[in-house]
Amino acid sequence: MPSPSASLRAAAAGRPALLAALVLALLGVAPPLAADSRTADRPAPAPSPTPTTEAWAAWEQHRALEDASLFRGLPWRSVGPVVQGGRVSAIASVPDDRYTFYVAYASGGLWRTTDNGHTFTPLFDHQPTMIMGDVAVAPSQPRTVWVGTGENNASRSSYGGLGVFRSDDAGETWTHRGLDDIDRTGRIVIDPRDADRVYVAAAGPLYTSGGSRGVFRTVDGGASWTHVLDPRAADDAGPDTGIIDLILDPFDPDTLYAAAWERSRRPWNFVASGVGSAIWKSTDGGDTWMRLGGGFPTGADVGRIGLAASPSRRGVVYASVDHQGQLPVEKRDLGDSPLSAARLETMDKADFLAQDPDQIEAFIRSNDLDTSLDADRLIAMIRDESLSMDDLRAQLADANAALFDTSIRGIEVWRSDDGGATWRRTHDEPIRDVVFTYGYYFGEIRVAPDDPDRIYVLGVPAITSGDGGATFVSLHHPSVHVDHHALWIDPHHPQRMIIGNDGGLDISHDGGISWRKLDAEAVGQFYTIHVDDAEPYNVYGGLQDNGVLKGSSRHDPARWGSAWARIGGGDGMYVQVDPRDNVTTYLGSQFGFYRRIGGGPPQEVRPRDALDEPALRYNWATPIHLSVHSPDVLYFGANRVYRSLDRGVTWTAISDDLTTSPLRGNVPFGTLTTLAESPQAFGLLWAGTDDGHVHVTVDGGVTWRAVDGKLPRDRWVSRVEPSPHVRARAYVSLNGYRDDDRTAYLYRTDDLGATWRSIADGLPAEPINVVREDPVNADVVYVGTDAGVYVSLDGGDGWQALQANLPNVPVHDLIVQKRAREVVIGTHGRSVWIVDALPVQELTADVRAEAVRVFPVEPIDYRRSWQGKPTWWFPAAAFEPEMTIPFWTAHEGEAVHARLDRQTPGRERTVVAVAHGQHRLAFVRGPERDRHLGLEGRGGEPPGRLALPAAPVVDRLDREDPH
């Protein structure tokens, strides 16, 4: 039997690798949980929020699993996409070095460029968290960089962090400097006179009260911190009040302004404003603070506040305010149509019946109402009062429209010319169509370094004013994404600006007239992932605010940039591809807006409720599922399950409401989050909900059975995974992100949910987003968490990290391409990665008992450029090709010796020797006809063997002379 030090390594030919010596014991099974219908004795969820001590313990376990993993040498490859970018949270420049700056991606880590954005280097990939709130460079010590983790936005996928970090070598190495439980960093500012004097704005947790909130100061480089401002101490401030923005006065570094923001979020509701929202000021370096008044808005409708102070005129301070109060009726934008959702709010029966029937027909079609409804029927129902005006208004409560069709005041700009003593709103008319209702996602303002009247407000889109905010014009450019979160203006050349948004990074050298994208980095925020069965296969995925993209699994973003195609818009969600043609594709965007493309005219794919039924509720990521047994059958999950037998043209409800929570707010809740059919049986369906329920039907929806009775309560069901091998087996992952709960919830059933057992033992406390059983090996199970990927070789009894070179990024979805035998993941911050699944699938207990096993290797096509012949198209220098050779060996030592034999052009070969203990094992690749390199080899001593698909040609080789 192999020793416990056995490991799997994959090495590139010509590069030596070392076999590691440690394996962590990960076995352990929790007692089974009996499952019945929903009962009152269900166990309560884990305490929330998770203490930071447990978060750090999870990080240590994560690292230990990486070090001990049998797969620590199995490398992932990034396949992009790149050009679409990903959400930027902050930008920081290096004083007096206009070519060097840092960009912090919300969930994609920290990157640095030293050549004005032509190339970037990631700096934070393997830290305890990659979630960025802010980055700051010390003016007096430019190699000192501070990072505050935890995103400052409050969207559905904005993660918390683990405090602040410091680097004194321009980001090459990092030291954690405390403030673990601030959760989300609003801003970091550094005293220009002293790199060790730093202030941190702590916004606090998003989904729970408590934590550290306010302004913290260090004077010793982070060795200790003083809580200098707690806005919750104000008489009227609530417990959810933190500090979201913080600035130093450019003329006096001892004067600070801090923006307090009271906000609270639950899975079903978000309160984006509160009486605690206000501006505070200190004139003594943070020792004492006063809350500013002077006409500045107050009350429960004041939301997020952004701050900026003019560097060119003392005392000029701007504040952007997300005002959630309602506009007066005369100020509201009712639309150009005589019949709109806004006009319907105040319309009575007589006014409605007086409308032109053509306008009513257009109103029906533009408001996503029942497709069987037409103008004549709606007029008749209103006339005979079978449908009231209030009922009709209720039908328009669409979550997507609610983001845009709004009557709130929205963004306002306020200015002070006396250092905050008095304030005035800069504009008389509302600033329309900039942040809509979701100001919680925006809230930053900038003032030009050379002009106190030139300001920039970030939102959808960015806008600018040259008259102190009296009037505004758009900065939007067709090549630039519209959701803006960060802006840096060159203090020496104000026409040079760098802007960060949901689409990445853009730079302008003419004050925003034209822009150039700086997006060669794979920082896409994927929600979902899917593959087809083409050759080579394609990868599909839905991204945060970047639509649905499709790209080849063989794509190399470093070599060719982006070859991915955009095939859908909005916030991209689930994708399903018809396996019969690999062309017909079902894809969608937020809140259940799906369509079918390819193989014919586009077709909307969306069930609707009838006017006499309760309105359907659609999750942000509404699940769909294409039957593997009959691809004409499509399933759709709202709060009920729907089935279409004609590829989404018509729909039938096959379940009642599968949710039970009565909680309703301004976020759709009580919805399906996951839906899947067993590959083993047509009509065997599983469904999971956001309020913690799991249901199964074995008869195509005629009857449903709740099977979550003994699972943890009130936790979002992130995935239900039916086994591709065993009819009665399934897996369920629950996710506590929306309760600030990091617990790993993972369960398995082998009897259709009659009983469950936890299989989370051995996994770190990282919320689980996806679980998959391998389609080739029934004992192999994968999970994707908020920090990476893990794999079990024994059905969940023990776990290995499947991390290797993968950044510690949230993994939202995972799928195995069965024919290619590859694992494909969609990360929420670093795009798509792929790893060879074959060594995982074939590393059975029998193989681990062998002394050595070399797994099959993909063929490599000969390229003329290898020879190094000088042409216009190839470099003159010889190119040394690489190949990845995955193998298992039971002993430590050097793993690979290799060389490329180019003595005969066109007949190249690679000789590889594997050392295990005192034995040598070797095989040769190539040559083959048609310039195609095959794979040949045989085993030598000891009695291990090579699983190679060709005839043996090689003998034992010595370590000293492997050729």
Side-chain angles (χ1 to χ4, degrees):
M1 294 290 291
S3 70
S5 64
S7 66
L8 178 76
R9 297 294 290 175
R15 297 182 179 180
L18 295 179
L19 299 178
L22 297 176
V23 170
L24 188 67
L26 299 177
L27 300 180
V29 181
L33 294 176
D36 49 26
S37 61
R38 287 168 280 190
T39 59
D41 63 342
R42 295 169 66 191
S48 58
T50 299
T52 54
T53 53
E54 293 185 20
W56 281 104
W59 166 241
E60 293 301 324
Q61 186 179 2
H62 178 104
R63 293 175 59 186
L65 286 169
E66 284 190 277
D67 292 342
S69 176
L70 302 178
F71 306 107
R72 61 190 178 276
L74 193 63
W76 294 81
R77 70 178 189 272
S78 171
V79 296
V82 293
V83 172
Q84 85 296 324
R87 186 164 66 248
V88 172
S89 54
I91 303 165
S93 69
V94 175
D96 301 320
D97 182 356
R98 64 180 309 186
Y99 294 109
T100 299
F101 57 88
Y102 299 83
V103 54
Y105 288 90
S107 54
L110 181 70
W111 298 67
R112 180 189 65 213
T113 180
T114 58
D115 54 17
N116 199 30
H118 289 284
T119 61
F120 285 86
T121 301
L123 303 175
F124 224 72
D125 283 9
H126 302 289
Q127 296 301 318
T129 176
M130 289 177 57
I131 311 304
M132 298 286 106
D134 196 23
V135 56
V137 178
S140 62
Q141 195 169 313
R143 290 181 61 80
T144 295
V145 184
W146 287 80
V147 161
T149 65
E151 189 184 351
N152 53 16
N153 292 315
S155 70
R156 294 165 180 83
S157 61
S158 297
Y159 288 95
L162 279 173
V164 298
F165 294 76
R166 171 177 171 155
S167 173
D168 290 302
D169 52 13
E172 296 298 322
T173 61
W174 296 90
T175 303
H176 181 254
R177 304 307 286 169
L179 298 184
D180 298 8
D181 59 350
I182 65 172
D183 197 65
R184 294 160 192 263
T185 305
R187 187 75 64 203
I188 293 181
V189 293
I190 305 173
D191 192 312
R193 303 163 298 188
D194 182 357
D196 288 336
R197 188 179 182 91
V198 180
Y199 303 86
V200 173
L206 177 59
Y207 284 96
T208 53
S209 299
S212 295
R213 302 170 189 252
V215 177
F216 292 82
R217 180 187 65 200
T218 181
V219 296
D220 52 17
S224 61
W225 293 90
T226 303
H227 195 182
V228 295
L229 171 63
D230 187 344
R232 294 170 294 185
D235 292 339
D236 56 355
D240 300 316
T241 306
I243 299 295
I244 190 62
D245 207 355
L246 181 68
I247 59 173
L248 294 179
D249 189 319
F251 294 91
D252 178 11
D254 288 326
T255 295
L256 298 92
Y257 300 87
W261 183 24
E262 183 173 354
R263 66 1 178 197
S264 62
R265 184 155 200 160
R266 301 299 296 134
W268 56 87
N269 196 53
F270 183 42
V271 180
S273 60
V275 295
S277 300
I279 300 177
W280 295 76
K281 180 179 180 179
S282 173
T283 57
D284 53 13
D287 288 340
T288 60
W289 294 82
M290 63 176 296
R291 182 170 172 170
L292 299 182
F296 192 79
T298 60
D301 293 329
V302 179
R304 181 170 174 173
I305 299 169
L307 297 172
S310 171
S312 61
R313 184 179 299 172
R314 183 185 291 269
V316 174
V317 183
Y318 287 95
S320 62
V321 179
D322 174 35
H323 201 300
Q324 293 286 308
Q326 294 291 308
L327 278 168
V329 174
E330 66 274 11
K331 294 286 187 179
R332 297 180 185 179
D333 183 1
L334 300 179
D336 297 328
S337 170
L339 181 57
S340 64
R343 294 183 190 277
L344 193 72
E345 287 294 318
T346 57
M347 190 174 289
D348 60 19
K349 175 181 175 180
D351 289 336
F352 181 83
L353 294 176
Q355 300 299 312
D356 187 319
D358 289 342
Q359 290 292 336
I360 294 177
E361 186 71 30
F363 173 82
I364 293 171
R365 300 295 157 238
S366 62
N367 284 279
D368 197 40
L369 295 177
D370 185 354
T371 54
S372 67
L373 186 68
D374 59 21
D376 290 341
R377 183 180 169 211
L378 180 56
I379 290 170
M381 294 176 74
I382 294 294
R383 181 176 287 122
D384 66 18
E385 297 186 350
S386 59
L387 183 75
S388 71
M389 291 299 296
D390 286 340
D391 291 338
L392 179 58
R393 281 187 277 266
Q395 289 288 326
L396 303 183
D398 175 78
N400 197 59
L403 291 176
F404 302 96
D405 300 335
T406 173
S407 59
I408 64 168
R409 292 180 180 274
I411 190 70
E412 295 181 344
V413 176
W414 291 73
R415 173 172 171 161
S416 173
D417 289 283
D418 51 15
T422 60
W423 295 85
R424 62 178 177 85
R425 192 173 62 194
T426 65
H427 49 96
D428 296 325
E429 295 298 318
I431 303 175
R432 301 188 189 278
D433 301 334
V434 175
V435 298
F436 303 95
T437 60
Y438 53 114
Y440 59 84
Y441 197 50
F442 308 102
E444 299 196 10
I445 186 170
R446 301 288 186 270
V447 58
D450 60 338
D451 182 355
D453 294 323
R454 169 64 63 182
I455 59 174
Y456 303 86
V457 178
L458 305 186
V460 183
I463 57 176
T464 184
S465 172
D467 54 14
T471 61
F472 289 88
V473 296
S474 174
L475 272 180
H476 180 63
H477 189 276
S479 68
V480 179
H481 202 287
V482 295
D483 293 46
H484 297 286
H485 307 283
L487 176 66
W488 174 79
I489 307 171
D490 191 326
H492 304 297
H493 305 277
Q495 293 295 296
R496 177 173 175 257
M497 302 188 298
I498 304 171
I499 200 165
N501 46 59
D502 277 6
L505 209 62
D506 302 87
I507 189 170
S508 175
H509 294 275
D510 54 15
I513 298 173
S514 63
W515 296 87
R516 177 171 62 89
K517 289 185 71 64
L518 305 179
D519 293 316
E521 294 69 54
V523 289
Q525 294 180 299
F526 277 77
Y527 285 118
T528 65
I529 207 74
H530 192 68
V531 296
D532 63 19
D533 207 32
E535 179 59 55
Y537 69 91
N538 296 297
V539 181
Y540 305 74
L543 297 91
Q544 162 63 33
D545 211 25
N546 280 285
V548 177
L549 299 184
K550 171 186 176 181
S552 171
S553 59
R554 308 310 301 174
H555 178 58
D556 182 357
R559 190 173 184 184
W560 298 111
S562 182
W564 288 62
R566 184 183 176 102
I567 59 174
D571 290 271
M573 296 302 165
Y574 284 94
V575 181
Q576 297 281 276
V577 180
D578 193 323
R580 296 171 296 189
D581 60 12
N582 294 315
V583 172
T584 303
T585 304
Y586 302 83
L587 53 89
S589 58
Q590 67 271 24
F591 299 125
F593 287 92
Y594 281 86
R595 62 193 181 108
R596 186 186 72 235
I597 63 172
Q603 169 71 44
E604 187 179 58
V605 173
R606 179 178 170 90
R608 294 171 178 80
D609 53 90
L611 283 181
D612 57 352
E613 295 179 340
L616 290 176
R617 299 183 297 277
Y618 305 92
N619 192 269
W620 173 254
T622 298
I624 62 170
H625 184 82
L626 191 66
S627 174
V628 298
H629 304 284
S630 177
D632 286 334
V633 177
L634 181 68
Y635 301 98
F636 187 108
N639 53 303
R640 308 168 71 183
V641 179
Y642 284 80
R643 180 180 61 211
S644 172
L645 303 178
D646 52 12
R647 305 195 306 160
V649 177
T650 60
W651 295 92
T652 302
I654 61 171
S655 82
D656 293 328
D657 191 338
L658 297 182
T659 70
T660 62
S661 174
L663 297 168
R664 298 290 179 265
N666 54 18
V667 178
F669 190 69
T671 67
L672 267 68
T673 54
T674 176
L675 180 64
E677 182 183 46
S678 169
Q680 289 288 310
F682 179 75
L684 173 51
L685 298 170
W686 294 83
T689 71
D690 52 15
D691 61 351
H693 296 307
V694 178
H695 288 78
V696 63
T697 177
V698 298
D699 52 19
V702 177
T703 58
W704 289 84
R705 183 166 55 95
V707 294
D708 52 82
K710 293 296 179 69
L711 295 177
R713 285 195 315 241
D714 304 325
R715 287 296 180 263
W716 193 283
V717 182
S718 58
R719 200 75 52 162
V720 177
E721 166 77 351
S723 167
H725 300 280
V726 181
R727 177 180 179 274
R729 181 187 301 161
Y731 304 84
V732 168
S733 58
L734 308 172
N735 190 298
Y737 160 76
R738 293 161 187 82
D739 292 275
D740 291 327
D741 175 11
R742 301 175 189 244
T743 304
Y745 297 105
L746 185 63
Y747 298 87
R748 168 177 164 166
T749 180
D750 290 285
D751 51 17
L752 290 175
T755 60
W756 296 90
R757 67 183 178 94
S758 171
I759 57 171
D761 283 358
L763 288 171
E766 298 166 2
I768 297 176
N769 301 307
V770 59
V771 54
R772 299 285 187 202
E773 185 178 275
D774 188 271
V776 175
N777 186 337
D779 291 328
V780 174
V781 183
Y782 310 90
V783 295
T785 76
D786 281 351
V789 181
Y790 301 88
V791 63
S792 173
L793 302 180
D794 50 19
D797 289 341
W799 294 95
Q800 306 276 336
L802 192 59
Q803 200 78 10
N805 59 322
L806 185 70
N808 295 324
V809 63
V811 175
H812 273 215
D813 206 358
L814 179 154
I815 194 169
V816 181
Q817 216 291 343
K818 184 176 181 180
R819 189 199 68 247
R821 301 181 75 169
E822 292 185 324
V823 176
V824 185
I825 60 171
T827 75
H828 201 73
R830 294 299 287 273
S831 292
V832 176
W833 294 69
I834 297 176
V835 72
D836 186 4
L838 187 147
V840 181
Q841 296 165 339
E842 298 198 356
L843 196 65
T844 62
D846 290 342
V847 171
R848 295 197 298 274
E850 298 177 7
V852 67
R853 167 72 71 96
V854 177
F855 298 104
V857 183
E858 290 188 14
I860 299 176
D861 290 329
Y862 165 74
R863 296 179 182 274
R864 186 176 61 163
S865 61
W866 294 359
Q867 302 174 30
K869 292 182 178 180
T871 71
W872 291 112
W873 301 103
F874 300 109
F879 173 70
E880 190 81 9
E882 291 185 353
M883 56 183 290
T884 298
I885 307 165
F887 64 92
W888 160 267
T889 180
H891 301 280
E892 300 178 26
E894 284 195 13
V896 173
H897 294 282
R899 71 180 176 88
L900 180 70
D901 184 354
R902 292 193 306 272
Q903 294 179 358
T904 306
R907 296 181 60 81
E908 290 74 12
R909 65 178 187 163
T910 301
V911 183
V912 180
V914 178
H916 54 94
Q918 297 181 352
H919 300 284
R920 312 288 184 268
L921 196 67
F923 64 90
V924 173
R925 286 178 57 93
E928 293 288 337
R929 289 189 298 274
D930 301 324
R931 292 181 175 179
H932 189 272
L933 299 183
L935 181 62
E936 299 176 334
R938 70 177 170 87
E941 297 181 0
R945 69 179 187 274
L946 296 176
L948 305 177
V953 297
V954 186
D955 295 321
R956 282 180 52 189
L957 298 177
D958 292 330
R959 179 196 295 267
E960 291 75 16
D961 185 15
H963 310 300

